[in-house]
Amino acid sequence: MSLFNRHKTDEYYDDDDYPEEELVDQDANQEDDDQEAVLMSPDESEEQENETPAETAVDVVTQLESIAPAYWSTEERDLDFFVTTDSVGGKLYGQPFYVPPAGYPRQVNAEFFTDVLATGICDITVEAIPQTPRKTIQEMTSRLHTVKTNKLYQQEKGQEFAVRENVAKEVDYGNLITQVSLNENSLFDNAITGIVYGNSLRELEANAKRISNIFGDQNVSIQPFAKRVKSGYFQTIPLGAHLGTLDDIYRNVDRKALSRFDIARGAAGKFNGGIPWGYNQATPSHNIEYLSIFGSKSHKPINYNMGIVGESGGGKTVAAQIKIAREVAILGYQHRSIDNEREYVTVAKALHELNLDINEDSGITINPLEFNPIETPLDQVPRYDENGELIVDSELVESSLYSQEDKIVVEHDGVKYVQYIPIKSRINHVSEVISAIFVSQGMNPVNVSERSAIDTAMTAIIEDLGITSNPKSLFKDEAGTVNEIYYTNMPKDQPTFTMLYNKLTELYPDSEHTLGVIDAIKPLLGSKTHQSLFDGQTYYGPGIDPSLNCHKYVNFSLADLEGANKRFAYFIISDYLWNRWMRNPALAKVQKVLDADELLGYIDDPIMQTFIETVIRQDRKRNGSLTWIVQDIDRFEGNKSAQSLVTNSEFFFITQISSAHRQLMKDTFDLTDGILEILLGHPNVGEGILIQEGEATWVRTNPNAFELDFAESNDGVRYGKNPEDIGKQIDAVLDSK
């Protein structure tokens, strides 16, 4: 979208003022200046007439030549489209259009410009020409006198409806005159023009209807430049010249109305809605930049992952926490955070959401051996008949699935899915959990013999519990209450470490192959007097649903754990959130964000490497996002797993960095020297570079006093104790809880 702020002058070109065009077909010697022609600027034409030797000897490229096609033609004067041809002979049809003064709605939402541009078939130019205060006051005073005269006449004639309308206009004009006099407002001559393109006349017509519908959805009407195609073309392309033949396309708008078009942001960053992120430091207006990790209806990023990187004290934690608060309260995203240092506890409390202190004395149990269902779109499920032939008809596939007991077919928003429990995958997962215990204690992962014993024991356990591939097998055929929660079908007990320990000792009482596994899980077992953190049915407290689906935000605080216990807990909780939350079929349409603090501290573990790469590559398919927060920048050095976080993330916020990390950050994030100068130049706290799908913007986060109160990690500098300072949007959500 081209955005200009141009001033009117007395020097402009009408259509007839442009020089005669040089015809492509010289032999035809035609007089019609609208036949296929090579565009020439006025300066270029004059130079050729004068035949200046110095400039005929040296090629002089004008602005028009640098952007013009090989030729441009309107074909016929009574048509409302033009044709261009490139250097290889390809034709492109275009139709200039504009918004007439009567085509503006009472309220306009400029976000629809993004929808128009996202189609890839249209260019838009918004022109704003400021009026002087003197001219505005003179014009408004003249209109005010006219309105007053009309009002008196209508009162005499008893036209009450018209009188009320003119009274409203009188008040509006009077207020505007006062505001302009005090420099609180100003008027602009505003014009919105565009060009819609197509590769053929039929395609051009279809595209024009499509663009017209997008404008129409916002109550904005458009019309083509009939018989003024050339003027409309020059008005829309970025030449910066005002055309006097188009004075009728301008409409007066005031400063507030013009700000809806967000001119300052147009040249700074991509806007797809989302949450306010911070003030643009590169524009005079310091306009607010927005962050939308899931994109918009008209545009979806390649993935939804985001990295927040910077040295300690640069505002990295505050940025991560206000992102959580605003996405939860304003956009309704679900967030789950893994908190190493109890930095997100205050966020959960401020949002009236759930904080879980993960330690042996909390009474919480997270069962890492649970079996949970997943779902796959029906059209992605291959089925074969009795002869081994692939069934391609979705109805036949659905029929064959319904006839089996291991899977069920469900429907969401008109799309059918297959739900099932991946038994073999979950049994293999138990071996990965045991391997994580080994690795956290400095040992090698489980070997082949140990894995075989675990598989045999788990298969026997799920047979005892009656769990199959059918998701219904996880529930009983009776209603009742569990943990103060009523269920129409009560959940069955899930496999636990105690069950696995007992089954291994039963099946392999004297086997050396299972001694390592038994010794590893024995410290995790609970007892009648001691509730284990990872042994037993999942429990977060009385009345809290183990699925946690009803909570927008849950923080898992690991601050009370240390060493190997913290590393193992980080893996178990990450894995639990991926399988029980991110892949939960009930939340398939919910936008979900997993916030992993200091993730690089655990990425060197082989098991964590594999797990993290799985999450960051596949979360998009689950409508999910991973936000990773890092201050240990040295771990990017030669670390392929750390690089995978970067290559699979479309969004970054990078705060201040030290000069020692200049080259490493440049190579890792492909930063320009200009960006590095900002990051190395001692930026203010909260100031950094926001990168959205490759577009970098210099911003400073804008936490209000309420957000700083819960987001500031340093108690010595925390300020802003007044909760009433929270933004209106967050207030409305919190008050409704």
Side-chain angles (χ1 to χ4, degrees):
M1 181 165 69
S2 303
L3 298 172
F4 301 100
N5 188 1
R6 300 183 287 207
H7 295 268
K8 285 185 178 180
T9 65
D10 293 330
E11 299 178 1
Y12 55 78
Y13 294 107
D14 290 334
D15 276 11
D16 297 333
D17 292 333
Y18 284 96
E20 292 298 321
E21 299 165 343
E22 179 183 345
L23 300 181
V24 172
D25 187 359
Q26 297 291 344
D27 295 334
N29 196 23
Q30 298 179 15
E31 298 297 332
D32 188 353
D33 66 348
D34 281 320
Q35 295 299 318
E36 298 179 354
V38 177
L39 280 179
M40 300 170 58
S41 67
D43 293 340
E44 182 185 2
S45 177
E46 184 178 350
E47 289 167 2
Q48 289 193 4
E49 291 177 1
N50 296 335
E51 294 184 355
T52 305
E55 296 191 356
T56 54
V58 180
D59 291 336
V60 178
V61 180
T62 66
Q63 178 187 17
L64 186 59
E65 286 177 325
S66 66
I67 64 175
Y71 80 81
W72 183 99
S73 172
T74 57
E75 297 282 344
E76 300 289 345
R77 280 201 176 276
D78 59 342
L79 296 181
D80 56 7
F81 67 89
F82 63 83
V83 183
T84 65
T85 297
D86 57 28
S87 58
V88 294
K91 284 190 175 183
L92 183 67
Y93 294 81
Q95 183 180 71
F97 64 88
Y98 68 99
V99 178
Y104 288 71
R106 184 169 183 82
Q107 292 183 340
V108 62
N109 182 359
E111 294 179 21
F112 80 93
F113 283 153
T114 304
D115 297 333
V116 174
L117 296 176
T119 63
I121 59 174
C122 185
D123 291 331
I124 300 177
T125 295
V126 178
E127 183 180 20
I129 305 173
Q131 289 187 0
T132 63
R134 181 177 180 180
K135 179 180 179 181
T136 299
I137 292 175
Q138 289 177 344
E139 184 177 337
M140 292 301 106
T141 301
S142 176
R143 293 186 186 183
L144 184 60
H145 289 323
T146 302
V147 168
K148 288 182 177 180
T149 302
N150 291 340
K151 184 185 69 173
L152 293 175
Y153 175 80
Q154 290 155 356
Q155 284 175 336
E156 292 178 359
K157 298 298 183 179
Q159 301 174 353
E160 294 298 329
F161 179 80
V163 169
R164 288 195 295 270
E165 182 179 353
N166 279 289
V167 168
K169 290 181 179 180
E170 182 180 352
V171 173
D172 289 342
Y173 289 146
N175 290 338
L176 182 58
I177 291 173
T178 302
Q179 292 170 0
V180 173
S181 301
L182 299 175
N183 198 29
E184 294 178 353
N185 206 344
S186 55
L187 277 191
F188 296 80
D189 294 327
N190 185 70
I192 302 176
T193 61
I195 300 176
V196 60
Y197 299 95
N199 293 317
S200 65
L201 285 177
R202 177 174 296 182
E203 183 177 296
L204 175 64
E205 182 179 356
N207 291 344
K209 290 181 180 179
R210 180 182 175 187
I211 297 301
S212 179
N213 290 337
I214 295 177
F215 275 87
D217 289 341
Q218 299 294 327
N219 296 318
V220 179
S221 63
I222 60 175
Q223 62 185 54
F225 281 98
K227 298 186 179 181
R228 296 187 296 179
V229 178
K230 188 190 301 181
S231 296
Y233 177 75
F234 282 121
Q235 175 72 19
T236 304
I237 63 176
L239 291 178
H242 172 69
L243 305 179
T245 56
L246 302 180
D247 282 342
D248 59 305
I249 72 173
Y250 292 89
R251 173 194 170 116
N252 290 139
V253 297
D254 67 358
R255 189 187 304 168
K256 181 178 179 181
L258 185 62
S259 68
R260 296 295 298 161
F261 297 124
D262 216 358
I263 290 179
R265 182 168 59 229
K270 183 178 292 186
F271 178 66
N272 285 317
I275 60 170
W277 182 257
Y279 297 115
N280 190 316
Q281 302 297 290
T283 57
S285 63
H286 282 194
N287 55 281
I288 294 179
E289 292 294 337
Y290 286 75
L291 172 68
S292 178
I293 57 175
F294 288 99
S296 62
K297 292 182 179 179
S298 58
H299 172 76
K300 292 294 183 182
I302 296 175
N303 60 67
Y304 312 135
N305 304 313
M306 181 172 184
I308 300 178
V309 183
E311 311 283 353
S312 178
K316 166 177 50 64
T317 301
V318 173
Q321 293 173 359
I322 63 175
K323 176 179 181 291
I324 293 172
R326 294 178 182 181
E327 288 183 341
V328 169
I330 298 174
L331 302 180
Y333 296 169
Q334 283 197 11
H335 271 259
R336 303 289 186 265
S337 59
I338 306 176
D339 182 7
N340 273 320
E341 303 298 337
R342 210 185 297 278
E343 292 180 321
Y344 299 82
V345 175
T346 51
V347 184
K349 292 181 178 178
L351 294 175
H352 305 170
E353 292 293 347
L354 184 62
N355 174 70
L356 299 174
D357 289 318
I358 308 301
N359 57 66
E360 293 289 347
D361 300 322
S362 63
I364 292 173
T365 299
I366 301 175
N367 184 7
L369 307 188
E370 284 185 352
F371 281 61
N372 301 298
I374 62 173
E375 67 179 19
T376 303
L378 177 62
D379 56 6
Q380 297 180 15
V381 179
R383 299 297 297 176
Y384 300 89
D385 60 19
E386 56 186 8
N387 297 321
E389 297 292 333
L390 180 66
I391 303 176
V392 295
D393 192 317
S394 61
E395 293 185 0
L396 293 177
V397 173
E398 181 180 357
S399 176
S400 65
L401 289 172
Y402 271 126
S403 65
Q404 299 180 6
E405 296 182 355
D406 60 342
K407 296 179 177 66
I408 61 175
V409 178
V410 297
E411 184 172 338
H412 308 302
D413 299 330
V415 180
K416 292 183 177 179
Y417 298 84
V418 178
Q419 281 189 6
Y420 62 96
I421 300 174
I423 295 293
K424 186 176 295 186
S425 173
R426 292 305 296 170
I427 290 177
N428 291 335
H429 171 261
V430 175
S431 295
E432 298 301 323
V433 173
I434 305 298
S435 289
I437 300 175
F438 285 1
V439 172
S440 67
Q441 297 174 354
M443 302 167 57
N444 294 324
V446 297
N447 56 40
V448 176
S449 299
E450 291 168 336
R451 183 180 294 271
S452 176
I454 293 171
D455 291 354
T456 302
M458 287 301 302
T459 301
I461 290 172
I462 63 173
E463 289 179 356
D464 294 341
L465 296 175
I467 297 176
T468 66
S469 297
N470 193 320
K472 295 180 180 179
S473 66
L474 297 176
F475 301 91
K476 301 177 182 178
D477 292 329
E478 57 180 300
T481 300
V482 178
N483 187 25
E484 301 181 9
I485 302 174
Y486 178 79
Y487 295 91
T488 304
N489 297 98
M490 290 191 298
K492 292 180 180 179
D493 285 342
Q494 292 266 17
T496 64
F497 277 125
T498 294
M499 294 181 187
L500 178 59
Y501 178 87
N502 293 335
K503 187 61 67 172
L504 285 172
T505 54
E506 174 188 338
L507 296 177
Y508 306 96
D510 301 317
S511 175
E512 296 181 358
H513 298 305
T514 60
L515 289 179
V517 177
I518 292 174
D519 290 341
I521 64 178
K522 190 172 184 179
L524 300 175
L525 304 183
S527 64
K528 294 182 179 179
T529 59
H530 170 68
Q531 184 174 358
S532 172
L533 186 57
F534 297 115
D535 180 34
Q537 307 305 316
T538 299
Y539 175 81
Y540 297 115
I544 300 178
D545 186 348
S547 69
L548 301 177
N549 288 355
C550 59
H551 294 277
K552 288 287 187 181
Y553 176 52
V554 180
N555 179 52
F556 294 82
S557 176
L558 308 182
D560 296 331
L561 300 177
E562 296 180 354
N565 289 337
K566 178 176 282 192
R567 299 182 72 86
F568 178 66
Y570 201 105
F571 169 75
I572 291 299
I573 293 173
S574 302
D575 177 80
Y576 173 83
L577 290 174
W578 169 248
N579 288 289
R580 185 72 186 267
W581 176 60
M582 193 76 77
R583 302 177 70 189
N584 189 341
L587 303 176
K589 301 300 181 181
V590 177
Q591 291 167 321
K592 304 172 287 292
V593 185
L594 171 58
D595 303 279
D597 192 19
E598 295 302 332
L599 184 60
L600 290 189
Y602 305 92
I603 204 168
D604 291 333
D605 292 345
I607 296 175
M608 280 295 289
Q609 287 179 9
T610 303
F611 171 73
I612 291 170
E613 291 190 10
T614 299
V615 173
I616 202 165
R617 294 177 189 276
Q618 297 185 12
D619 57 359
R620 186 184 191 279
K621 301 177 182 179
R622 311 295 175 178
N623 215 15
S625 164
L626 174 65
T627 298
W628 43 279
I629 303 99
V630 173
Q631 76 176 33
D632 191 2
I633 297 175
D634 288 325
R635 287 187 175 270
F636 286 113
E637 184 73 45
N639 193 321
K640 293 184 179 180
S641 297
Q643 287 291 338
S644 70
L645 291 175
V646 178
T647 56
N648 288 282
S649 298
E650 286 292 299
F651 302 89
F652 303 95
F653 182 61
I654 306 175
T655 61
Q656 70 176 16
I657 60 176
S658 67
S659 57
H661 293 137
R662 178 188 180 106
Q663 192 61 40
L664 177 58
M665 291 293 291
K666 181 177 183 178
D667 296 339
T668 301
F669 294 94
D670 194 23
L671 302 179
T672 64
D673 290 336
I675 290 177
L676 289 170
E677 291 304 316
I678 294 174
L679 299 177
L680 292 168
H682 304 290
N684 293 318
V685 175
E687 193 174 317
I689 301 298
L690 176 65
I691 303 176
Q692 303 188 70
E693 301 180 80
E695 295 187 5
T697 311
W698 180 17
V699 301
R700 184 180 183 185
T701 53
N702 60 341
N704 56 44
F706 176 81
E707 290 169 330
L708 276 177
D709 191 40
F710 66 69
E712 175 55 58
S713 59
N714 188 341
D715 291 335
V717 298
R718 182 175 293 157
Y719 63 92
K721 299 295 184 181
N722 184 8
E724 295 180 358
D725 290 338
I726 190 171
K728 294 181 180 180
Q729 290 176 302
I730 295 181
D731 254 342
V733 176
L734 299 185
D735 290 344
S736 66
K737 288 185 178 289

